[in-house]
Amino acid sequence: MGGTLRITTRNARFQQLEALLANRTKRTRAREFLVQGVRPISLAVEYGWPVHTLLYDDDREPSAWAGDLLRTTRAERVAMAPDLLADLGEKSAAPPEVVAVVGMPADDLDRIPVAGDFLGVLFDRPTSPGNIGSILRSADAMGAHGLIVTGHAADVYDPKAVRASTGSLFALPAVRVPSPAEVMAWVRARRADGTPIVVVGTDEHGDCDVFDFDLTQPTLLLVGNETTGLSAAWRERCDTMVGIPMIGAASSLNAANAATAVLYEAARQRITARR
């Protein structure tokens, strides 16, 4: 299958693509990022994200999936040597069939839909891109409407975050915001529009247990940094703090696990209320 361009050496174009893997500044400047894996690429296409380039292995017969993708997706096609494609796929085994270069949307809180059943998650200063992806995956599975990442944080578009989300990044808006001020201005505007969003922090010493708080109301759940928890700036902006009661020797949960537990309780309450 011939491509409009073929890359067989670590030339300038390859180095630009490689920079999208490791260099956040270059990703942000280019407004694009790499997507690896059949499910994430398929969901990016399904949800209408702008696919700029499809990088594919020109040395092998494409699978039905890859053939269909290359035939039907409006994007630049670049044939690559398998070892170079393997580097971009970050796989130690066989090179991937396809890696996609996808355009980055604006970090605009209005991408997150807000209605009477609003459920959002905010992750304060996460250090692990894998945790961002895991929380995105849980938020998507539990019916949340968006993820906000605040402060000096790992990148939503880091390949580790994209992989850990297993494609949920493309189904659920994820917005990066510098500080609590911008988020609270957005919350106040939504409240003025008639959606009384309650800001709920999570902490091992909450004001009440998570299952004693009404999470059927429009809710923004706050999850703190993996090491230090929620910042003082966020704590003072919370309407309430909820805790997850723990029985064993563990004193706390991993941030992604804690978020999943609270999201599950919100989903359980909402399903029960609808019955």
Side-chain angles (χ1 to χ4, degrees):
M1 185 179 251
T4 53
L5 179 68
R6 183 167 170 80
I7 298 178
T8 56
T9 62
R10 296 177 181 276
N11 60 15
R13 180 69 193 277
F14 176 80
Q15 287 168 27
Q16 286 172 347
L17 292 165
E18 196 174 39
L20 297 178
L21 283 178
N23 191 316
R24 178 182 189 158
T25 305
K26 291 194 172 160
R27 277 197 298 271
T28 303
R29 197 175 294 145
R31 303 298 303 169
E32 57 186 22
F33 62 106
L34 293 187
V35 182
Q36 309 146 332
V38 173
R39 180 174 168 76
I41 293 172
S42 297
L43 285 173
V45 171
E46 182 184 333
Y47 281 91
W49 283 56
V51 179
H52 294 169
T53 308
L54 291 172
L55 312 162
Y56 67 95
D57 181 349
D58 200 27
D59 284 1
R60 78 196 227 200
E61 189 65 30
S63 67
W65 169 78
D68 187 54
L69 183 76
L70 290 162
R71 249 191 333 275
T72 60
T73 308
R74 286 175 61 89
E76 178 195 26
R77 286 155 184 71
V78 176
M80 297 195 83
D83 59 323
L84 301 182
L85 195 59
D87 286 352
L88 297 181
E90 298 181 296
K91 280 192 168 183
S92 54
E97 271 201 286
V98 180
V99 173
V101 182
V102 175
M104 207 180 275
D107 284 301
D108 181 356
L109 286 165
D110 288 336
R111 286 177 55 219
I112 300 174
V114 176
D117 63 347
F118 174 70
L119 178 61
V121 187
L122 183 144
F123 201 171
D124 176 37
R125 299 164 299 129
T127 56
S128 161
N131 275 339
I132 294 175
S134 296
I135 287 181
L136 259 169
R137 186 178 179 178
S138 293
D140 183 20
M142 301 301 165
H145 299 100
L147 172 71
I148 301 168
V149 176
T150 57
H152 184 70
D155 188 17
V156 167
Y157 300 103
D158 185 293
K160 294 184 188 71
V162 180
R163 277 199 303 273
S165 84
T166 63
S168 288
L169 170 67
F170 304 108
L172 197 75
V175 180
R176 302 170 295 181
V177 179
S179 73
E182 295 87 351
V183 180
M184 291 310 297
W186 174 77
V187 167
R188 285 192 294 273
R190 300 293 74 76
R191 286 170 174 167
D193 290 342
T195 306
I197 295 174
V198 60
V199 179
V200 179
T202 54
D203 185 82
E204 55 212 73
H205 309 296
D207 302 325
C208 66
D209 290 338
V210 62
F211 42 67
D212 289 328
F213 187 78
D214 177 11
L215 293 168
T216 64
Q217 59 192 313
T219 301
L220 180 62
L221 290 172
L222 272 50
V223 180
N225 168 279
E226 294 92 339
T227 308
T228 57
L230 281 174
S231 65
W234 267 123
R235 284 173 183 274
E236 64 191 32
R237 287 170 167 87
C238 288
D239 297 310
T240 192
M241 302 286 289
V242 299
I244 301 165
M246 283 178 279
I247 298 154
S251 62
S252 63
L253 288 171
N254 161 284
N257 290 347
T260 302
V262 179
L263 281 163
Y264 177 80
E265 174 57 18
R268 186 198 66 79
Q269 288 186 22
R270 288 161 181 238
I271 291 164
T272 303
R274 285 197 298 266
R275 280 181 180 159

PDB file of all heavy atoms in Angstrom, residues 236-256:
ATOM      1  N   GLU A 236     -10.691  25.076  50.786  1.00  0.00           N
ATOM      2  CA  GLU A 236     -11.544  26.182  51.260  1.00  0.00           C
ATOM      3  C   GLU A 236     -12.674  26.495  50.292  1.00  0.00           C
ATOM      4  O   GLU A 236     -13.633  27.181  50.646  1.00  0.00           O
ATOM      5  CB  GLU A 236     -10.700  27.421  51.557  1.00  0.00           C
ATOM      6  CG  GLU A 236      -9.998  28.029  50.369  1.00  0.00           C
ATOM      7  CD  GLU A 236      -8.957  29.087  50.782  1.00  0.00           C
ATOM      8  OE1 GLU A 236      -8.360  28.955  51.858  1.00  0.00           O
ATOM      9  OE2 GLU A 236      -8.773  30.030  50.002  1.00  0.00           O
ATOM     10  N   ARG A 237     -12.590  25.976  49.077  1.00  0.00           N
ATOM     11  CA  ARG A 237     -13.654  26.211  48.092  1.00  0.00           C
ATOM     12  C   ARG A 237     -14.697  25.081  48.060  1.00  0.00           C
ATOM     13  O   ARG A 237     -15.698  25.180  47.360  1.00  0.00           O
ATOM     14  CB  ARG A 237     -13.046  26.392  46.699  1.00  0.00           C
ATOM     15  CG  ARG A 237     -12.344  27.735  46.520  1.00  0.00           C
ATOM     16  CD  ARG A 237     -11.546  27.769  45.226  1.00  0.00           C
ATOM     17  NE  ARG A 237     -11.112  29.115  44.860  1.00  0.00           N
ATOM     18  CZ  ARG A 237      -9.998  29.694  45.284  1.00  0.00           C
ATOM     19  NH1 ARG A 237      -9.196  29.032  46.114  1.00  0.00           N
ATOM     20  NH2 ARG A 237      -9.676  30.919  44.903  1.00  0.00           N
ATOM     21  N   CYS A 238     -14.443  23.997  48.796  1.00  0.00           N
ATOM     22  CA  CYS A 238     -15.380  22.861  48.801  1.00  0.00           C
ATOM     23  C   CYS A 238     -16.624  23.186  49.621  1.00  0.00           C
ATOM     24  O   CYS A 238     -16.531  23.812  50.681  1.00  0.00           O
ATOM     25  CB  CYS A 238     -14.713  21.619  49.403  1.00  0.00           C
ATOM     26  SG  CYS A 238     -13.476  20.894  48.330  1.00  0.00           S
ATOM     27  N   ASP A 239     -17.770  22.740  49.129  1.00  0.00           N
ATOM     28  CA  ASP A 239     -19.003  22.859  49.916  1.00  0.00           C
ATOM     29  C   ASP A 239     -19.035  21.814  51.020  1.00  0.00           C
ATOM     30  O   ASP A 239     -19.626  22.028  52.076  1.00  0.00           O
ATOM     31  CB  ASP A 239     -20.221  22.686  48.999  1.00  0.00           C
ATOM     32  CG  ASP A 239     -20.280  23.781  47.946  1.00  0.00           C
ATOM     33  OD1 ASP A 239     -20.176  24.965  48.317  1.00  0.00           O
ATOM     34  OD2 ASP A 239     -20.398  23.455  46.751  1.00  0.00           O
ATOM     35  N   THR A 240     -18.407  20.672  50.760  1.00  0.00           N
ATOM     36  CA  THR A 240     -18.320  19.607  51.764  1.00  0.00           C
ATOM     37  C   THR A 240     -17.158  18.695  51.416  1.00  0.00           C
ATOM     38  O   THR A 240     -16.659  18.730  50.287  1.00  0.00           O
ATOM     39  CB  THR A 240     -19.645  18.798  51.826  1.00  0.00           C
ATOM     40  OG1 THR A 240     -19.642  17.971  52.991  1.00  0.00           O
ATOM     41  CG2 THR A 240     -19.823  17.925  50.597  1.00  0.00           C
ATOM     42  N   MET A 241     -16.730  17.908  52.396  1.00  0.00           N
ATOM     43  CA  MET A 241     -15.694  16.896  52.169  1.00  0.00           C
ATOM     44  C   MET A 241     -16.284  15.539  52.508  1.00  0.00           C
ATOM     45  O   MET A 241     -16.941  15.393  53.542  1.00  0.00           O
ATOM     46  CB  MET A 241     -14.463  17.150  53.058  1.00  0.00           C
ATOM     47  CG  MET A 241     -13.808  18.501  52.871  1.00  0.00           C
ATOM     48  SD  MET A 241     -12.872  18.644  51.326  1.00  0.00           S
ATOM     49  CE  MET A 241     -11.479  17.586  51.660  1.00  0.00           C
ATOM     50  N   VAL A 242     -16.072  14.553  51.642  1.00  0.00           N
ATOM     51  CA  VAL A 242     -16.548  13.200  51.925  1.00  0.00           C
ATOM     52  C   VAL A 242     -15.355  12.255  52.037  1.00  0.00           C
ATOM     53  O   VAL A 242     -14.319  12.469  51.405  1.00  0.00           O
ATOM     54  CB  VAL A 242     -17.536  12.684  50.843  1.00  0.00           C
ATOM     55  CG1 VAL A 242     -18.766  13.572  50.773  1.00  0.00           C
ATOM     56  CG2 VAL A 242     -16.873  12.570  49.482  1.00  0.00           C
ATOM     57  N   GLY A 243     -15.525  11.225  52.846  1.00  0.00           N
ATOM     58  CA  GLY A 243     -14.472  10.234  53.039  1.00  0.00           C
ATOM     59  C   GLY A 243     -14.938   8.846  52.663  1.00  0.00           C
ATOM     60  O   GLY A 243     -16.139   8.554  52.677  1.00  0.00           O
ATOM     61  N   ILE A 244     -13.983   8.004  52.303  1.00  0.00           N
ATOM     62  CA  ILE A 244     -14.267   6.595  52.021  1.00  0.00           C
ATOM     63  C   ILE A 244     -13.860   5.804  53.262  1.00  0.00           C
ATOM     64  O   ILE A 244     -12.670   5.754  53.604  1.00  0.00           O
ATOM     65  CB  ILE A 244     -13.448   6.099  50.803  1.00  0.00           C
ATOM     66  CG1 ILE A 244     -13.778   6.928  49.556  1.00  0.00           C
ATOM     67  CG2 ILE A 244     -13.696   4.612  50.548  1.00  0.00           C
ATOM     68  CD1 ILE A 244     -12.768   6.761  48.429  1.00  0.00           C
ATOM     69  N   PRO A 245     -14.826   5.209  53.970  1.00  0.00           N
ATOM     70  CA  PRO A 245     -14.445   4.456  55.174  1.00  0.00           C
ATOM     71  C   PRO A 245     -13.580   3.253  54.816  1.00  0.00           C
ATOM     72  O   PRO A 245     -13.873   2.549  53.840  1.00  0.00           O
ATOM     73  CB  PRO A 245     -15.785   4.031  55.779  1.00  0.00           C
ATOM     74  CG  PRO A 245     -16.823   4.277  54.755  1.00  0.00           C
ATOM     75  CD  PRO A 245     -16.267   5.197  53.728  1.00  0.00           C
ATOM     76  N   MET A 246     -12.500   3.064  55.562  1.00  0.00           N
ATOM     77  CA  MET A 246     -11.579   1.950  55.286  1.00  0.00           C
ATOM     78  C   MET A 246     -11.429   1.078  56.523  1.00  0.00           C
ATOM     79  O   MET A 246     -11.432   1.579  57.647  1.00  0.00           O
ATOM     80  CB  MET A 246     -10.240   2.499  54.803  1.00  0.00           C
ATOM     81  CG  MET A 246     -10.312   2.937  53.357  1.00  0.00           C
ATOM     82  SD  MET A 246      -8.798   3.634  52.736  1.00  0.00           S
ATOM     83  CE  MET A 246      -8.901   5.276  53.363  1.00  0.00           C
ATOM     84  N   ILE A 247     -11.294  -0.224  56.265  1.00  0.00           N
ATOM     85  CA  ILE A 247     -11.348  -1.199  57.358  1.00  0.00           C
ATOM     86  C   ILE A 247      -9.977  -1.824  57.631  1.00  0.00           C
ATOM     87  O   ILE A 247      -9.610  -2.064  58.759  1.00  0.00           O
ATOM     88  CB  ILE A 247     -12.375  -2.306  57.013  1.00  0.00           C
ATOM     89  CG1 ILE A 247     -13.772  -1.675  56.867  1.00  0.00           C
ATOM     90  CG2 ILE A 247     -12.404  -3.396  58.079  1.00  0.00           C
ATOM     91  CD1 ILE A 247     -14.714  -2.424  55.979  1.00  0.00           C
ATOM     92  N   GLY A 248      -9.184  -2.058  56.571  1.00  0.00           N
ATOM     93  CA  GLY A 248      -7.923  -2.773  56.726  1.00  0.00           C
ATOM     94  C   GLY A 248      -6.784  -1.895  57.213  1.00  0.00           C
ATOM     95  O   GLY A 248      -6.990  -0.827  57.795  1.00  0.00           O
ATOM     96  N   ALA A 249      -5.560  -2.346  56.925  1.00  0.00           N
ATOM     97  CA  ALA A 249      -4.373  -1.640  57.403  1.00  0.00           C
ATOM     98  C   ALA A 249      -4.037  -0.419  56.546  1.00  0.00           C
ATOM     99  O   ALA A 249      -3.299   0.461  56.982  1.00  0.00           O
ATOM    100  CB  ALA A 249      -3.170  -2.598  57.411  1.00  0.00           C
ATOM    101  N   ALA A 250      -4.574  -0.361  55.331  1.00  0.00           N
ATOM    102  CA  ALA A 250      -4.269   0.770  54.441  1.00  0.00           C
ATOM    103  C   ALA A 250      -4.834   2.064  55.021  1.00  0.00           C
ATOM    104  O   ALA A 250      -5.951   2.107  55.508  1.00  0.00           O
ATOM    105  CB  ALA A 250      -4.863   0.525  53.050  1.00  0.00           C
ATOM    106  N   SER A 251      -4.012   3.125  54.992  1.00  0.00           N
ATOM    107  CA  SER A 251      -4.467   4.414  55.525  1.00  0.00           C
ATOM    108  C   SER A 251      -5.089   5.270  54.432  1.00  0.00           C
ATOM    109  O   SER A 251      -5.782   6.239  54.713  1.00  0.00           O
ATOM    110  CB  SER A 251      -3.294   5.164  56.152  1.00  0.00           C
ATOM    111  OG  SER A 251      -2.309   5.433  55.165  1.00  0.00           O
ATOM    112  N   SER A 252      -4.809   4.932  53.181  1.00  0.00           N
ATOM    113  CA  SER A 252      -5.370   5.724  52.086  1.00  0.00           C
ATOM    114  C   SER A 252      -5.405   4.871  50.825  1.00  0.00           C
ATOM    115  O   SER A 252      -4.830   3.785  50.774  1.00  0.00           O
ATOM    116  CB  SER A 252      -4.514   6.969  51.835  1.00  0.00           C
ATOM    117  OG  SER A 252      -3.213   6.598  51.420  1.00  0.00           O
ATOM    118  N   LEU A 253      -6.083   5.399  49.800  1.00  0.00           N
ATOM    119  CA  LEU A 253      -6.173   4.715  48.515  1.00  0.00           C
ATOM    120  C   LEU A 253      -5.402   5.504  47.462  1.00  0.00           C
ATOM    121  O   LEU A 253      -5.280   6.725  47.560  1.00  0.00           O
ATOM    122  CB  LEU A 253      -7.637   4.619  48.061  1.00  0.00           C
ATOM    123  CG  LEU A 253      -8.547   3.643  48.804  1.00  0.00           C
ATOM    124  CD1 LEU A 253      -9.990   3.862  48.368  1.00  0.00           C
ATOM    125  CD2 LEU A 253      -8.131   2.209  48.539  1.00  0.00           C
ATOM    126  N   ASN A 254      -4.916   4.802  46.447  1.00  0.00           N
ATOM    127  CA  ASN A 254      -4.380   5.448  45.260  1.00  0.00           C
ATOM    128  C   ASN A 254      -5.440   6.420  44.720  1.00  0.00           C
ATOM    129  O   ASN A 254      -6.639   6.153  44.806  1.00  0.00           O
ATOM    130  CB  ASN A 254      -4.051   4.330  44.253  1.00  0.00           C
ATOM    131  CG  ASN A 254      -3.908   4.810  42.836  1.00  0.00           C
ATOM    132  OD1 ASN A 254      -4.898   5.100  42.174  1.00  0.00           O
ATOM    133  ND2 ASN A 254      -2.699   4.873  42.369  1.00  0.00           N
ATOM    134  N   ALA A 255      -5.001   7.558  44.179  1.00  0.00           N
ATOM    135  CA  ALA A 255      -5.938   8.604  43.729  1.00  0.00           C
ATOM    136  C   ALA A 255      -6.968   8.063  42.738  1.00  0.00           C
ATOM    137  O   ALA A 255      -8.155   8.371  42.842  1.00  0.00           O
ATOM    138  CB  ALA A 255      -5.159   9.762  43.113  1.00  0.00           C
ATOM    139  N   ALA A 256      -6.516   7.252  41.792  1.00  0.00           N
ATOM    140  CA  ALA A 256      -7.447   6.716  40.788  1.00  0.00           C
ATOM    141  C   ALA A 256      -8.440   5.753  41.432  1.00  0.00           C
ATOM    142  O   ALA A 256      -9.628   5.753  41.087  1.00  0.00           O
ATOM    143  CB  ALA A 256      -6.677   6.023  39.665  1.00  0.00           C
TER     144      ALA A 256
END
